[in-house]
Amino acid sequence: MFVPSVLLRQLYTFGSLENTDQGVQFSIKNRLKDATLTKLIEVKVNGTSVADDALRLFMGDGETHTPSDISPSNPIDFPLRRTLHMHVLDVGPLEVGKHEIEITFRAKPFGELSFAVEDAISEQDEIVRRIPRDEQDNCSDAVIRKRQQWIEKQTDTSLEHIPHYSIDPHTTEGNIENFTGVAQIPLGFAGPLTVNGEHAEGDFIIPLATTEGTLVASYNRGMKVCNLSGGVKATVVDDVMQRAPVFVFNDARQAREFTKWVDDHIDDIREQAESTSSVAELVYIDKYLSNNFAYLRFNYRTGDAAGQNMVGRATFAACGWIMDHYAGSIQHFYLESNFATDKKASQVNMMHTRGKRVTAEATIERDVLVQHMRVEPESLHYHWNVSTVGAFLSGANNNGAHSPNAITAMFIATGQDVANVSESSAGIVYTDLTEDGDLYLSLTIPSLIVATYGGGTGLATQRECLEVMDCYGKGKVQKFAEIVASVALAGELSLGSAISSSDWVSSHETYGRNR
């Protein structure tokens, strides 16, 4: 099985090289797929081959192996994400600075693999204060209590609330390091909200985690008005996640020729990218040329996961294949060029989509708007025209009132990556008056990044919040996206009406932090 050299080197855990009392040690981690180690052929340190009897291997399970213990008839399981530590006896101590490590081995299903990397020995600062951790079980009650006591001692404070939680700390592995407790955020519910989507159909109770007074009340009011007019229609119109590497050449002409080669080999590139995941689907690659740079924006479908890590891994494998097979001279390669604009709002995402591009729309009846919001459709429509000019002049990425409020509160409640609010905050609001004098209102969110599987969605309270909306697990992400957009629309209606009718300040005085 072919493994690109640039991906193969990622097996090595950089920063793991260190001197020990008996020699040196370093680690490799399986970042490819489940495998079995059938032979350790050779290990070299600074070009010198290490004798088999001077090597010890262990995976933290209490068992130690030598190279002679490993054979096709007696392999070692090396599953994905498992770390293999290598101790080299009677070598060193190595000097501070860079050193070369070469490893050659056989493993199923890959065959023979070999790579060389440079790692470094750093100067040890004996007075550095370190947060307590346990290499074997860093989520045990004992080490968590040690961390709490260490923080109390270092900061001269008393932790009274942080240590109290109902979740199993082990379920947070992969979501956080050095688990020490929880941050409790108030959680309220609004609704029900009637959603008429292609995936979300019916009435939904909405969890909102926030510390902002009036927020839940405002969304509740907007939902009521939407419901009285038949609910919110929601549509996911596009769905792609990006990673954008850059290749550097001697001149612009070489960069141009490279993009032509990419077009000619798209099928091979797609095969390599999709081999890293059962879910990732490479849809297309956008190419942007500037100076002597070729920016490639890989666009993927990622199923029910948000997918940033998934597409990073897939693109890394694809680019490794490109580096190994392109005959021209590539001066530099970087996996991310800032063109995917991860965790940043951008015009390219507004135009081309990142995550889910979803539109929510509703027609609010005149009588309902007047009776419950005390504002006429004409007034609210005019107000939005005026505020759109303000958004244009300010350079804002959203001409609405506050759609990121709904998105943030729902993200926190449901275990989304909250930093994705920076991209998901973009919004395009449009209003119109119908022939009957009602108000048509729509909101497009061009880069809504959500998940219903993986990441933080499986944590206990976050999973419960998703389950309240029947949005946890595989096959539910489009449904969740439609609900989020519908809630955001209800909030636009509520706050826009409050500002137009001059209720905004009085509402905060009654319910908010000014009381």
Side-chain angles (χ1 to χ4, degrees), residues 301-494:
R301 304 256 192 264
T302 59
D304 294 281
Q308 289 101 318
N309 292 335
M310 183 192 303
V311 303
R313 177 181 173 80
T315 305
F316 192 70
C319 290
W321 184 90
I322 290 172
M323 298 283 285
D324 285 344
H325 288 82
Y326 183 61
S329 176
I330 299 173
Q331 299 302 308
H332 298 286
F333 155 73
Y334 303 100
L335 179 61
E336 181 49 61
S337 63
N338 242 354
F339 213 123
T341 68
D342 200 8
K343 311 292 176 69
K344 294 174 284 293
S346 68
Q347 191 62 31
V348 70
N349 289 344
M350 293 274 285
M351 298 298 294
H352 291 288
T353 304
R354 180 170 168 85
K356 310 293 184 289
R357 190 179 196 92
V358 56
T359 294
E361 50 195 335
T363 299
I364 308 301
E365 297 174 7
R366 168 181 289 275
D367 290 346
V368 171
L369 197 60
V370 170
Q371 292 173 24
H372 295 275
M373 295 297 194
R374 294 188 294 108
V375 64
E376 292 78 17
E378 294 84 359
S379 176
L380 194 52
H381 175 56
Y382 179 77
H383 172 208
W384 242 300
N385 284 336
V386 173
S387 64
T388 295
V389 174
F392 170 75
L393 289 174
S394 68
N397 69 339
N398 192 322
N399 70 322
H402 69 148
S403 62
N405 259 333
I407 295 168
T408 304
M410 293 187 73
F411 273 22
I412 295 172
T414 60
Q416 310 299 313
D417 185 340
V418 183
N420 286 330
V421 171
S422 59
E423 296 150 275
S424 303
S425 65
I428 306 159
V429 172
Y430 173 74
T431 63
D432 201 358
L433 299 174
T434 71
E435 293 181 357
D436 295 330
D438 300 327
L439 178 73
Y440 170 80
L441 170 65
S442 71
L443 166 66
T444 292
I445 304 174
S447 46
L448 179 64
I449 302 175
V450 291
T452 56
Y453 186 78
T457 63
L459 296 175
T461 54
Q462 288 75 12
R463 176 171 178 166
E464 285 182 6
C465 286
L466 283 168
E467 288 175 338
V468 164
M469 299 176 287
D470 187 30
C471 284
Y472 176 74
K474 296 182 178 180
K476 300 293 180 70
V477 72
Q478 305 278 2
K479 178 180 183 179
F480 183 54
E482 291 179 347
I483 294 172
V484 173
S486 299
V487 174
L489 181 79
E492 293 298 289
L493 176 63
S494 180

Side-chain angles (χ1 to χ4, degrees), residues 1-4 7-8 11 29-38 78-80 105-114 272 275-276 313:
M1 179 183 294
F2 173 76
V3 181
L7 183 60
L8 188 57
L11 291 173
K29 184 176 182 179
N30 186 351
R31 297 177 173 89
L32 299 175
K33 61 190 300 184
D34 289 340
T36 55
L37 183 62
T38 59
F78 196 19
L80 185 65
F105 61 96
R106 288 196 186 100
K108 290 183 178 180
F110 303 106
E112 184 170 318
L113 301 175
S114 182
Q272 294 300 317
S275 69
T276 63
R313 177 181 173 80

Side-chain angles (χ1 to χ4, degrees), residues 126-332:
E126 296 182 358
I127 65 172
V128 170
R129 293 177 293 177
R130 291 185 174 88
I131 295 173
R133 59 177 289 107
D134 185 335
E135 294 294 337
Q136 301 301 318
D137 184 359
N138 203 37
C139 287
S140 68
D141 292 340
V143 74
I144 291 171
R145 184 57 191 147
K146 281 184 181 179
R147 283 196 284 269
Q148 294 166 352
Q149 293 171 341
W150 185 86
I151 291 168
E152 289 177 326
K153 181 178 179 180
Q154 295 294 324
T155 62
D156 192 26
T157 57
S158 177
L159 303 184
E160 297 181 11
H161 301 284
I162 290 172
H164 296 285
Y165 46 85
S166 61
I167 61 175
D168 177 0
H170 291 90
T171 64
T172 69
E173 292 185 280
N175 296 111
I176 195 167
E177 297 74 46
N178 294 337
F179 177 90
T180 308
V182 296
Q184 300 181 75
I185 300 173
L187 177 69
F189 287 85
L193 172 63
T194 300
V195 180
N196 305 310
E198 292 177 300
H199 306 275
E201 185 72 38
D203 295 338
F204 298 92
I205 307 295
I206 308 301
L208 298 166
T210 183
T211 58
E212 181 179 348
T214 77
L215 190 72
V216 176
S218 176
Y219 279 94
N220 218 32
R221 185 172 81 143
M223 292 175 192
K224 178 183 72 172
V225 172
C226 288
N227 291 347
L228 290 171
S229 296
V232 180
K233 183 178 182 180
T235 308
V236 176
V237 297
D238 199 5
D239 180 5
V240 281
M241 177 53 65
Q242 293 81 20
R243 185 61 59 205
V246 60
F247 294 81
V248 182
F249 298 89
N250 284 326
D251 54 39
R253 198 168 297 167
Q254 289 183 7
R256 182 193 65 191
E257 295 308 307
F258 169 74
T259 60
K260 293 179 181 179
W261 183 91
V262 168
D263 283 338
D264 292 339
H265 294 80
I266 185 63
D267 291 338
D268 292 322
I269 295 170
R270 179 178 287 110
E271 180 181 356
Q272 294 300 317
E274 294 180 356
S275 69
T276 63
S277 168
S278 61
V279 176
E281 176 190 350
L282 178 58
V283 185
Y284 60 94
I285 301 175
D286 284 323
K287 296 164 289 294
Y288 300 88
L289 293 170
S290 180
N291 306 93
N292 55 327
F293 309 138
Y295 296 89
L296 304 183
R297 201 167 190 255
F298 285 65
N299 293 266
Y300 296 86
R301 304 256 192 264
T302 59
D304 294 281
Q308 289 101 318
N309 292 335
M310 183 192 303
V311 303
R313 177 181 173 80
T315 305
F316 192 70
C319 290
W321 184 90
I322 290 172
M323 298 283 285
D324 285 344
H325 288 82
Y326 183 61
S329 176
I330 299 173
Q331 299 302 308
H332 298 286

